[in-house]
Amino acid sequence: MNRILKTFCAAMLALFPVAAMAQIDGEFVKPRTGKFLLQNATVVTVTKGTLTNTSVLVENGKIAQVGANLSADGAEVIDCFGMFIYPGMIDSGTRLGLVEVSSVPETVDYAEIGSVTPNMQALTTVNPNSEAIGVTRVSGVTTVLTVPTGGLFPGTAALINLNGYTPDQMYGGFKAIVMNFPSSGRRGRFDRRSDEDVKKDAEKALKEANEIWDNAKKYLELKTAGAELQYYPEMDQLSKAVSGELPLLIVVDAASDIQNAIKWVEGKDIKVIFSGVAEGWRVADEIAKAGIPVITGPVQDLPTRQSDRYDTPYANAGKMAKAGVKVALRTDEEENVRNLPFHAAFAAAYGLGKEEALKAITINPAEIFGIADEYGSIEAGKRANLVISTGDPLETSSQIHHVFIDGYRIPMSNRHIRLYQEFLERSPGLKAN
């Protein structure tokens, strides 16, 4: 039922941006760099207010200047009168680039064999030529965290910008080791284990996690002491989380598991981010007290419990934010990451508010990932990841006219739009009977 609802919502919402963008016939077919002057726009900086009748100069992949009456020799001028410029949106949890068609196993590459594979790098698996990337970026999503799944320590997630010929060109400057925190609950409605067995399995899984973590600590101690170690890539990578070199992205959802994860983190001098956190609203004060930032979503989802209100997933982010938790949003998708702005819109409508919802897909993830000096807002010196729209991108009626990623002007076309245009005016057409 959950999958059916998500598919229906995605299909309905996707009609709006595709139809709107299909009206914009791209002038070029490849991303191109250069010097661009975006004139006469309303600039939503996110961190420094909204500036009217303002221009943005893009040069060498960066935002060179933001201000009124800018001019630049040799710049390609784009008149943005009546339009709005926003920072590129960031999805903080996807499998984009790791999956082409989820129903075709040969195109799915986000899970490895084994429970402990932190050395598996999502970045090396990314397919820069994925059709889903083209579909996503014209919706204003310029950057995503692509995350491996499966097992206790399934791999290392990587932030990527949605433009480039190789994974290294796309790399956005942030990685995190993923941990699926042991669940103390049932695996679903068909889980027939007794309460006692459920408890025993949870204790066993947590014990295993502690043993693996202790092994990584010992490995780090030996490595630091200069000992000669055998090739052990799993421990070598996990030790980077132990030392604080890389953050630990803990995927956890149930309220009791969140509480256990908070306790598990106590006393460990490590960088931690919680992801998923579907029942974060139940223990929001405890998360805030622990000072752990949260990536939550999908927002467009069903409640975790049948007794919960229908709008529980929509209101989750807002309740955590009001408790003082720094919140970013994720779609947890591989094929419909383009719907990120609409996940944010639902969160905005159900308590998060428009301003905080925009921050949850721009500056908040940038701050959580430690890259706010480059991403998340429109300021001179930051990467030129920009979205030019006719209105608020969280509104389905808004049309996105231009997208820039690392200063590259992105063609406003993709497989969906090309098919739409092809069959809108068929030649030869069909004759009526």
Side-chain angles (χ1 to χ4, degrees), residues 370-426:
I371 53 172
D373 59 329
E374 292 191 85
Y375 295 86
S377 63
I378 300 179
E379 300 177 57
K382 290 195 174 186
R383 291 185 187 228
N385 286 8
L386 303 169
V387 177
I388 296 90
S389 171
T390 59
D392 187 343
L394 273 58
E395 296 283 351
T396 56
S397 59
S398 298
Q399 298 181 25
I400 295 174
H401 281 237
H402 307 285
V403 172
F404 288 82
I405 301 177
D406 273 336
Y408 279 80
R409 188 179 178 188
I410 302 300
M412 297 304 293
S413 182
N414 58 44
R415 182 177 177 83
H416 288 190
I417 293 173
R418 290 192 297 271
L419 287 172
Y420 176 90
Q421 292 170 336
E422 172 67 24
F423 290 96
L424 183 66
E425 297 180 5
R426 287 173 285 190

Side-chain angles (χ1 to χ4, degrees), residues 5 45 69 92 130 138 141 151-152 156 158 204 217 224-226 253 293 340 383 425:
L5 177 64
T45 67
N69 304 316
S92 300
S130 171
V138 299
V141 182
L152 184 58
T156 300
K204 180 181 177 182
K217 285 178 64 177
T224 304
D253 282 307
L340 174 67
R383 291 185 187 228
E425 297 180 5

Side-chain angles (χ1 to χ4, degrees), residues 5-6 8-14 16 89 296-303 310-319 322 327 329-331 339-358 360-361 392-396:
L5 177 64
K6 289 172 70 176
F8 175 77
C9 289
M12 293 302 294
L13 288 169
F16 293 96
M89 290 178 273
T296 192
V299 177
Q300 295 174 353
D301 207 350
L302 290 176
Y310 77 95
D311 60 355
T312 299
Y314 311 156
N316 184 35
K319 289 180 178 179
K322 286 180 181 177
V327 175
L329 297 181
R330 68 171 195 175
T331 59
N339 288 328
L340 174 67
F342 308 133
H343 285 257
F346 268 63
Y350 285 84
L352 187 58
K354 291 177 66 173
E355 184 177 340
E356 288 302 315
L358 181 60
I361 55 174
D392 187 343
L394 273 58
E395 296 283 351
T396 56

Side-chain angles (χ1 to χ4, degrees), residues 15 55 98 206 208 370 375 377 381 397 399:
L15 291 176
S55 300
L98 310 183
L206 188 56
E208 179 187 3
Y375 295 86
S377 63
S397 59
Q399 298 181 25

